[in-house]
C-alpha cells in the first residue's frame, strides 16, 4: 500500500510538472491540449490580436492541425502603432492588408526557442519565411531572441515556447510589418 501511494504521488508530481512547463500568458493558463485560438482568447494581453484574427477571417486557419509558429504581439505592441492604425486595419475594406500583416507573424512548423538558438548561424541569425511569403529573421543575443521583419524592425520574444495542440506561440513586444 505504501509503495502504491509513493508511485501515485510521483505520478501526480510528474503530471503537475508537465502542466507547469507551459507558461501563463496574459494572466491565463495556456493548455497544450488547446489550439492557438482557444488559448489566445483567454490572454488579457492579446485582445487586439484576437480581434484582428477574427476581422481577418483567420480563426479557422489557426484552428487547423498546422503546425504553426506564431509570433504573437501583445496589446501594447498594437497600441504603439501610429494613432488610428488598428482601427483602420479592422475595417472590412482593409481585410487583405490585415491578413498580410497577421500572416507575417506566422511560420509553418513548430519552432521552439531552442531550435532557433541551435539553427542560428555564426552571425546569430536564423532566417524563416512567414506564411505571408515575407522574410523573418530571429537574432539570438545572449539569452534573448529578437524577431526582425523585412523592414529591420525587431520585436523581442518576451515569453517563449507556449506550446499548443497545433504549434507554438512566442509572445513578442512589437508588431512585425511586411514591406
Amino acid at each position: 500500500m505504501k509503495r502504491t501511494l509513493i508511485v501515485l504521488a510521483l505520478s501526480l508530481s510528474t503530471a503537475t510538472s508537465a502542466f507547469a512547463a507551459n507558461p501563463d500568458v496574459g494572466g491565463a493558463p495556456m493548455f497544450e491540449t488547446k489550439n492557438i485560438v482557444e488559448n489566445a482568447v483567454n490572454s488579457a494581453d492579446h485582445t487586439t490580436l484576437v480581434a484582428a484574427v477574427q476581422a481577418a477571417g483567420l480563426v479557422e486557419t489557426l484552428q487547423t492541425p498546422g503546425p504553426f509558429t506564431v509570433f504573437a504581439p501583445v496589446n501594447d505592441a498594437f497600441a504603439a502603432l501610429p494613432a488610428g492604425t488598428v482601427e483602420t486595419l479592422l475595417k472590412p475594406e482593409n481585410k487583405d492588408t490585415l491578413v498580410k500583416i497577421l500572416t507575417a507573424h506566422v511560420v509553418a512548423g513548430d519552432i521552439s526557442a531552442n531550435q532557433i538558438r541551435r539553427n542560428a548561424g555564426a552571425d546569430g541569425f536564423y532566417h524563416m519565411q512567414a506564411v505571408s511569403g515575407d522574410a523573418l529573421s530571429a537574432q539570438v543575443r545572449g539569452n534573448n531572441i529578437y524577431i526582425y521583419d523585412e523592414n529591420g524592425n525587431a520585436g523581442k520574444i518576451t515569453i517563449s515556447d507556449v506550446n499548443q495542440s497545433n504549434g507554438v506561440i512566442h509572445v513578442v513586444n512589437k508588431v512585425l510589418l511586411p514591406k
Side-chain angles (χ1 to χ4, degrees), residues 74-89:
V74 293
N75 294 339
D76 287 345
F78 284 101
L81 295 172
T85 301
V86 173
E87 295 77 12
T88 300
L89 287 171

Side-chain angles (χ1 to χ4, degrees), residues 13-149:
S13 173
T14 303
T16 302
S17 296
F19 173 75
N22 222 13
D24 284 3
V25 176
M30 298 287 116
F31 300 99
E32 293 182 35
T33 56
K34 292 186 177 186
N35 66 47
I36 291 165
V37 174
E38 290 171 328
N39 275 319
V41 298
N42 294 318
S43 169
D45 292 342
H46 290 91
T47 56
T48 305
L49 177 61
V50 169
V53 166
Q54 291 169 337
L58 293 173
V59 170
E60 281 187 28
T61 301
L62 291 174
Q63 290 180 322
T64 63
F68 303 106
T69 298
V70 177
F71 299 103
V74 293
N75 294 339
D76 287 345
F78 284 101
L81 295 172
T85 301
V86 173
E87 295 77 12
T88 300
L89 287 171
L90 293 177
K91 292 181 179 179
E93 61 267 23
N94 296 319
K95 182 178 177 180
D96 290 343
T97 303
L98 182 59
V99 168
K100 174 82 168 162
I101 290 170
L102 293 176
T103 57
H105 292 79
V106 180
V107 176
D110 189 339
I111 305 170
S112 70
N114 280 336
Q115 285 175 291
I116 292 171
R117 286 183 180 92
R118 280 194 308 272
N119 292 325
D123 60 357
F125 281 94
Y126 173 58
H127 303 287
M128 302 166 278
Q129 184 173 21
V131 171
S132 64
D134 298 284
L136 292 176
S137 297
Q139 183 185 35
V140 178
R141 288 194 243 158
N143 291 328
N144 297 312
I145 299 175
Y146 294 84
I147 306 300
Y148 287 83
D149 61 24

